[in-house]
Amino acid sequence: MKQHSPILRSLCIAAAACWALDVHAQNLVRDGGFEDTPPGSSSFSSAWTLTPPSGPNTGQQFSSVGTDTRFARSGENYANLAPEVAETGLLTQNLNTTVGQRYTLSFFLANDSDVPTNFFRAVVNGTVLFTTSSPPYSANGDYQLISASFTANSSPTTLEFQYRHDDDFWRLDDVSVVPEGSANRLQNISTRLRVGTGDNVLIGGFIINGSGSKRVTVRAIGPSLRSRGVQDPLLDPTLELYRSGVLIAQNDNYKDTQRQEIEQAPVPPPSDDRESAIIATLPADGTDYTAIVRGKNGTTGVALVEVFDLDTGTSSRLANISSRGFVTTGQNVMIGGFIVGGGQTNANVVVRAIGPSLAATGVNNRLNDPTVELVDEDGSRIIFNDNWKQGQRQQIEATGLQPTDDRESALIASLPPDNYTAIVRGRDGTTGVALVEVYQVQ
């Protein structure tokens, strides 16, 4: 079911929501979101071919375009797919591909019930790129992002979804096929959290990999959050930037230092003079960088720490990002935003929510059972995890990034260009210090 976080309705979570980038590559699929159906109709647009056709007669499908917005992943519509009992249905489209070009197929799939005879396949020119059955495919009604790559051996290329669902429906939405080229990557990152004192300040970490250097803007935002519906913002944030634990730059009010450079950068300056910003050129050598946001004179409140990549065209890149702080409830859960863009192939990311294992680093009052939810720019849930072994255990272990405590959460996703948010909460409303991490992996 389409799920929107109320937090996302009141705040630009990711930096991208306040400073937009054109991150979307050309989609060869026509009407991939099934939005071209005429008002009042449930028929597929001419872009799609349904075999056998839909209708009430024997030998026809029950499939249609769903128009109940509660069940769409984005937009208003989605595809409801179910042929006649014990039969196989096909949904097909021809794509204008280039022979020899690599492409990435992505779509979101949900399963409304669990019957052992059900299956779903994505097929390109007769080659199965994805196949699943129910079970084990989850029947909780949540959309999951599916991605696969292929090389076009003809033009046009036939994209075909094959399915059987005797008890209910498969739901399909946001189908895309984009040409592969340079890989998308993490571009801009942000975390919003309530800033306390001591261990409960807001700490944002990142690593720069590649060669050469990376020019970044780091910002600490507080007072201007009030205009976005945030109660009790941090009224005077300060910002410190560390390299391997050594302080390399600091700022209280952004106009006090680097004002001209900040105002001339491609990222807009903070909208309140009390907010902080630093521009720095940092070596891309895998070193850890840390941005710490505090309240001036020990004040507290909700703040946003942001890191913007000002050199997206270089070989250096933001590889791993993390933020640590005190997680409570309501508007004061941990919200980490990031942008995927700058290329054409999906970015593979691992998102983790760490709590209990922070004991090894001397952190008190830890969040003992964190959950993590990944949502897109519209606030629609992509994937959720509570305890990492209960989700994508095999895939996560293959990356070597599995948490050290079973109560901690992790998920892996192949993400097309977009703005994303990871939300960390305590299970059953518990509170404590937690760490949210986003890793880009191969």
Side-chain angles (χ1 to χ4, degrees), residues 223-241:
S224 62
L225 294 179
R226 192 183 297 277
S227 65
R228 306 177 208 166
V230 174
Q231 304 298 318
D232 192 24
L234 186 63
L235 294 180
D236 195 350
T238 67
L239 178 63
E240 302 165 5
L241 181 61

Side-chain angles (χ1 to χ4, degrees), residues 40-347:
S41 172
S42 61
S43 299
F44 287 89
S45 72
S46 60
W48 295 98
T49 300
L50 197 64
T51 307
S54 183
N57 301 321
T58 302
Q60 295 183 320
Q61 294 197 49
F62 300 108
S63 300
S64 64
V65 172
T67 57
D68 187 335
T69 59
R70 296 175 302 165
F71 298 100
R73 196 206 72 91
S74 66
E76 303 293 328
N77 299 343
Y78 57 96
N80 245 345
L81 300 177
E84 196 172 40
V85 172
E87 300 295 332
T88 297
L90 306 178
L91 183 66
T92 307
Q93 183 173 145
N94 288 329
L95 309 176
N96 186 22
T97 52
T98 299
V99 175
Q101 171 70 50
R102 291 279 295 174
Y103 295 89
T104 297
L105 164 67
S106 298
F107 57 91
F108 287 84
L109 183 66
N111 181 18
D112 283 339
S113 66
D114 204 350
V115 176
T117 55
N118 294 338
F119 66 84
F120 187 95
R121 304 186 190 108
V123 181
V124 170
N125 282 352
T127 299
V128 177
L129 297 186
F130 169 80
T131 184
T132 190
S133 59
S134 175
Y137 197 88
S138 175
N140 60 9
D142 289 342
Y143 282 99
Q144 296 185 42
L145 174 62
I146 309 298
S147 295
S149 296
F150 67 92
T151 300
N153 55 18
S154 66
S155 185
T157 290
T158 300
L159 169 64
E160 183 176 81
F161 295 107
Q162 305 172 353
Y163 46 87
R164 174 176 172 175
H165 209 308
D166 289 352
D167 185 64
D168 212 316
F169 293 92
W170 294 101
R171 283 183 284 117
L172 177 70
D173 207 351
D174 294 335
V175 183
S176 68
V177 171
V178 297
E180 292 187 358
S182 57
N184 282 297
R185 55 190 180 182
L186 304 179
Q187 291 187 322
N188 306 321
I189 60 177
S190 65
T191 300
R192 199 206 78 181
L193 194 66
R194 182 171 182 81
V195 176
T197 59
D199 281 344
N200 299 333
V201 298
L202 176 53
I203 303 173
F206 58 98
I207 294 174
I208 301 174
N209 284 339
S211 59
S213 59
K214 173 69 65 183
R215 187 168 176 256
V216 300
T217 292
V218 185
R219 308 196 313 180
I221 304 300
S224 62
L225 294 179
R226 192 183 297 277
S227 65
R228 306 177 208 166
V230 174
Q231 304 298 318
D232 192 24
L234 186 63
L235 294 180
D236 195 350
T238 67
L239 178 63
E240 302 165 5
L241 181 61
Y242 292 82
R243 172 182 162 88
S244 298
V246 177
L247 180 66
I248 59 174
Q250 58 185 329
N251 179 254
D252 181 3
N253 304 320
Y254 89 92
K255 287 185 176 180
D256 292 347
T257 57
Q258 296 184 291
R259 175 178 178 177
Q260 183 176 1
E261 187 176 3
I262 291 168
E263 291 180 344
Q264 292 178 350
V267 177
S271 59
D272 191 291
D273 292 354
R274 293 168 292 177
E275 295 171 333
S276 304
I278 295 169
I279 289 183
T281 300
L282 306 174
D285 55 6
T287 300
D288 293 327
Y289 294 94
T290 305
I292 299 180
V293 178
R294 311 178 198 269
K296 189 172 183 177
N297 299 325
T299 52
T300 63
V302 177
L304 181 71
V305 62
E306 304 169 306
V307 181
F308 294 89
D309 182 353
L310 302 182
D311 294 328
T312 57
T314 65
S315 59
S316 56
R317 61 186 178 90
L318 296 172
N320 308 325
I321 59 179
S322 63
S323 292
R324 198 196 81 183
F326 192 83
V327 177
T328 60
T329 58
Q331 286 196 338
N332 297 326
V333 297
M334 180 180 287
I335 303 171
F338 60 97
I339 293 177
V340 171
Q344 293 177 313
T345 62
N346 284 9

Side-chain angles (χ1 to χ4, degrees), residues 339-380:
I339 293 177
V340 171
Q344 293 177 313
T345 62
N346 284 9
N348 298 315
V349 300
V350 172
V351 183
R352 310 198 311 176
I354 304 300
S357 62
L358 293 178
T361 60
V363 175
N364 297 316
N365 199 15
R366 301 168 298 278
L367 187 62
N368 286 325
D369 196 349
T371 69
V372 64
E373 178 184 14
L374 183 64
V375 302
D376 66 9
E377 184 176 18
D378 295 325
S380 299

